[in-house]
């Protein structure tokens, strides 16, 4: 049977230069590495055999109903505006309406050059494709809004980075691929008609109840104010929060140099190119405000009175700090068993985090130990821990079921960097068992099977991954 995808495309119908039609390149020898059956069903896809799936999800065979295109966008990269980026190695096949009634994008990543490829080859190698598959699916299982991974296909072609590496394509599913940078490009070019069209399209698609431009901006800000504290609650560092990687619908997007922390440190950075530590763990809330300021700036031309708009948007941006703080408090209060935080809970959390930071305590395992009753083995200063523990227990006496709250907030297993690196090394050698094992274990991150206990362990000295590299 041939794979049937019930395409229902809307972006492809937009007039005004938002994209260039572009067919994917034909992979010489595609072979299916993974297909996400549950997600495929949710998208209403009737799947064919492995051969058909690998042809479609490598780009070799464009399925009927697809209208392949590369999207245009710009963006601030590490604070500097790049006036034209765009899908340089990604192709949107089209959209479907999923079984819950939500419109979702189906995009190939690594399927060859587009008009926006600049000097790049438009391809991807196996490492970043498997990394994104594992980490984005883990994020979803952790309950954090994210793009998803539908399929990974090896192309049978060599991709040249520092050495020759096996090529691969990821099929990414997203609420949409519209970014802050998609708005920026039309605002920067003074193309107000296009900006208006894009705004109407995006508001209708993602925030249909939002009232006008201001309501839309507010809704995007709120989504981001939920997302970033959720990342912080699992020790996630995105690593490249450029405005082109900041999605309007509020999903985590772009798993290039991201990483989950092992030992807790507020200023932790993994990305090898983030030399100024702009996108460190603790900077993420400030950066998202900065990114929303860029969106606000791009929306000003749509307002009847620019001065009044700037005043109002500035107020809204100032309000983000408190919203982010309140969301952060909710997330971290749950991690110590408190369902509804009140006065004094902030300092209680801060004291624990200080202790963890001084000890370099493992972020995930410390909170998981609290769920089990005590994290004394995770920190160095035992008398300081005991004092904190007593205060914590006194506070929990007025909570209903703190253990249940913690069990939902503190995963036992996260995608640790050294495990991802080991998985990629094995896959390059043709051994996909670690990839399948990680994917399966991370599907239920709050419960870990006995045989997967080793995946919860922090890296040994030799296993530590000090830096991550962009996913090209
Ligand atoms: P990213 O670092 O993934 O956010 O990508 C930034 C920009 O570089 C986007 O416009 C990408 O499409 C483009 N890009 C990244 N890798 C490649 C590649 N291998 N070939 C062409 N363009 C690329
Ligand atoms: Mg990107």
């Amino acid at each position: 049977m041939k794979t049937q995808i019930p395409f229902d495309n809307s972006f492809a119908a937009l007039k005004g230069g938002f994209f260039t039609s572009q067919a994917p390149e034909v992979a010489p020898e595609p072979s299916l590495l993974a297909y996400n059956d549950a997600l495929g069903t949710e998208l209403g896809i009737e799947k064919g055999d492995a051969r058909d799936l690998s042809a479609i999800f490598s780009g070799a065979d464009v399925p009927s109903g697809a209208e392949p295109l590369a999207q245009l966008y710009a963006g601030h990269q590490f604070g500097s505006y790049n006036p034209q980026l765009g899908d340089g190695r990604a192709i949107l096949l089209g959209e479907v309406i999923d079984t819950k009634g939500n419109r979702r994008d189906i995009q190939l990543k690594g399927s060859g050059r587009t008009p926006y490829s600049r000097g790049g080859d438009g391809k991807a190698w196996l490492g970043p494709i498997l990394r994104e598959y594992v980490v984005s699916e883990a994020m979803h299982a952790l309950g954090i809004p994210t793009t998803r991974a539908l399929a990974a296909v090896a192309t049978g072609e060599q991709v040249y980075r520092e050495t020759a590496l096996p090529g691969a394509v990821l099929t990414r599913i997203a609420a949409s691929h519209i970014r802050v940078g998609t708005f920026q490009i039309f605002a920067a070019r003074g193309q107000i008609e296009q900006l208006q069209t894009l705004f109407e399209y995006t508001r209708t698609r993602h925030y249909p109840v939002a009232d006008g431009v201001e309501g839309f901006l507010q809704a995007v800000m709120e989504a981001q104010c939920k997302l970033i504290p959720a990342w912080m609650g699992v020790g996630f560092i995105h690593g490249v929060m450029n405005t082109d990687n900041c999605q309007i619908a509020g999903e985590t997007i772009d798993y290039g140099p991201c990483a989950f922390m092992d030992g807790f440190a507020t200023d932790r950075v993994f990305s090898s190119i983030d030399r100024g530590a702009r996108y460190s763990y603790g900077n993420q809330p400030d950066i998202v405000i900065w990114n929303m300021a860029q969106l606000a700036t791009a929306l000003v031309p749509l307002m009847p009175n620019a001065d009044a708009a700037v005043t109002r948007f500035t107020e809204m941006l100032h309000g983000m700090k408190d919203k982010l703080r309140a969301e952060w408090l909710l997330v971290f209060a749950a991690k110590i068993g408190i369902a509804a935080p009140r006065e004094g809970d902030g300092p209680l959390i801060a004291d624990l985090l200080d202790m963890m930071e001084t000890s370099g305590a493992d972020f995930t395992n410390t909170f998981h130990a609290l769920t089990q009753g005590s994290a004394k083995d995770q920190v160095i200063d035992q008398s300081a821990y005991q004092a904190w523990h007593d205060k914590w227990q006194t506070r929990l006496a007025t909570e209903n079921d703190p253990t249940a709250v913690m069990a939902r907030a503190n995963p036992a297993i996260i995608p640790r960097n050294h495990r991802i690196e080991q998985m990629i090394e094995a896959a390059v050698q043709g051994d996909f068992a670690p990839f399948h094992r990680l994917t399966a274990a991370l599907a239920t991150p709050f419960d870990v099977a006995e045989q997967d206990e080793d995946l919860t362990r922090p890296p040994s000295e030799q296993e530590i991954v000090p830096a991550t590299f962009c996913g090209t």
Side-chain angles (χ1 to χ4, degrees):
M1 199 191 81
K2 288 285 273 184
T3 301
Q4 308 283 334
I5 307 176
F7 283 106
D8 181 332
N9 306 330
S10 63
F11 194 86
L14 285 182
K15 299 271 183 289
F18 297 98
F19 59 85
T20 304
S21 293
Q22 172 71 55
E25 271 177 40
V26 176
E29 215 181 309
S31 72
L32 190 66
L33 302 172
Y35 181 75
N36 189 337
D37 267 304
L39 179 57
T41 304
E42 186 181 310
L43 297 173
I45 297 175
E46 281 181 53
K47 68 165 184 168
D49 58 23
R51 193 193 175 85
D52 187 46
L53 290 171
S54 59
I56 288 176
F57 296 117
S58 65
D61 193 356
V62 175
S64 95
E67 294 172 89
L69 60 86
Q71 290 180 332
L72 185 61
Y73 55 86
H76 277 90
Q77 298 180 304
F78 293 93
S80 314
Y81 187 63
N82 189 328
Q84 196 193 296
L85 293 164
D87 289 333
R89 58 164 163 187
I91 284 172
L92 179 70
L93 288 181
E95 301 138 40
V96 296
I97 309 288
D98 70 14
T99 50
K100 293 178 191 132
N102 297 315
R103 182 174 291 280
R104 316 270 291 269
D105 273 8
I106 303 181
Q107 191 204 57
L108 303 179
K109 191 169 168 188
S111 61
R113 286 180 56 80
T114 77
Y116 314 120
S117 296
R118 297 171 288 164
D121 59 2
K123 305 211 164 130
W125 72 278
L126 188 59
I129 296 305
L130 295 183
R131 168 191 283 270
E132 178 159 347
Y133 195 106
V134 167
V135 182
S136 66
E137 285 305 297
M139 275 304 231
H140 171 71
L142 287 164
I144 298 174
T146 177
T147 63
R148 304 284 307 275
L150 177 65
V153 179
T155 58
E157 188 178 49
Q158 300 280 331
V159 170
Y160 297 90
R161 295 295 178 255
E162 255 124 59
T163 56
L165 293 158
V169 175
L170 181 85
T171 302
R172 175 161 72 181
I173 306 301
S176 86
H177 286 84
I178 299 169
R179 311 136 191 270
V180 170
T182 318
F183 283 86
Q184 285 183 283
I185 195 165
F186 299 104
R189 288 173 170 182
Q191 296 177 320
I192 308 309
E193 221 171 289
Q194 280 96 324
L195 189 63
Q196 183 71 40
T197 305
L198 179 69
F199 162 70
E200 292 295 349
Y201 175 84
T202 311
R203 191 195 62 82
T204 310
R205 181 162 173 181
H206 296 305
Y207 303 104
V209 299
D211 190 6
V213 175
E214 185 181 322
F216 171 77
L217 179 61
Q218 191 69 51
V220 179
M221 284 176 171
E222 274 165 25
Q224 294 293 333
C225 287
K226 282 202 184 309
L227 182 64
I228 279 63
W231 288 353
M232 294 180 83
V234 293
F236 181 75
I237 303 165
H238 183 283
V240 61
M241 288 176 72
N242 295 335
T243 57
D244 54 303
N245 294 329
C246 184
Q247 189 224 44
I248 297 293
E251 292 176 334
T252 312
I253 190 168
D254 200 320
Y255 287 89
C258 70
F260 286 73
M261 285 192 286
D262 297 300
F264 178 61
T266 315
D267 59 1
R268 194 77 176 90
V269 170
F270 282 96
S271 171
S272 61
I273 58 169
D274 190 3
R275 294 196 187 88
R278 179 179 172 90
Y279 300 140
S280 68
Y281 174 80
N283 260 2
Q284 296 182 117
D286 284 345
I287 290 294
V288 86
I289 297 175
W290 195 91
N291 286 350
M292 290 299 102
Q294 307 318 309
L295 177 63
T297 304
L299 293 173
V300 169
L302 299 179
M303 299 293 281
N305 179 328
D307 288 340
V310 170
T311 306
R312 177 65 194 129
F313 291 176
T314 305
E315 252 171 45
M316 288 160 68
L317 286 161
H318 285 313
M320 276 185 82
K321 205 149 188 117
D322 286 343
K323 272 220 177 80
L324 281 158
R325 174 76 199 167
E327 277 299 326
W328 181 92
L329 191 58
L330 268 179
V331 168
F332 277 80
K335 293 184 79 64
I336 62 168
I338 298 167
R342 54 183 199 230
E343 185 110 31
D345 290 340
L348 186 65
I349 296 161
D351 288 347
L352 172 65
L353 290 174
D354 282 347
M355 237 181 327
M356 287 168 63
E357 188 147 20
T358 311
S359 306
D362 186 84
F363 184 84
T364 306
N365 290 356
T366 301
F367 284 105
H368 191 252
L370 286 181
T371 314
Q372 314 295 311
S374 170
K376 77 175 170 53
D377 296 340
Q378 304 288 331
V379 292
I380 294 166
D381 186 341
Q382 290 296 299
S383 65
Y385 178 79
Q386 197 51 54
W388 182 86
H389 188 94
D390 293 344
K391 250 201 256 176
W392 175 50
Q393 288 302 309
T394 308
R395 172 64 183 85
L396 288 192
T398 55
E399 288 293 308
N400 251 335
D401 192 353
T403 308
V405 170
M406 285 188 281
R408 283 192 297 272
N410 297 329
I413 175 171
I414 43 113
R416 291 185 187 268
N417 295 317
H418 66 295
R419 290 299 184 178
I420 292 172
E421 292 302 322
Q422 289 163 9
M423 172 274 284
I424 292 171
E425 273 170 41
V428 170
Q429 301 303 314
D431 175 10
F432 290 88
F435 164 71
H436 292 296
R437 180 174 181 231
L438 261 189
T439 307
L442 288 162
T444 56
F446 298 95
D447 294 294
V448 60
E450 218 178 296
Q451 74 269 17
D452 289 329
E453 287 287 351
D454 61 312
L455 298 177
T456 69
R457 284 204 286 273
S460 67
E461 201 117 5
Q462 298 88 314
E463 287 175 321
I464 289 175
V465 178
T468 53
F469 299 89
C470 253
T472 59

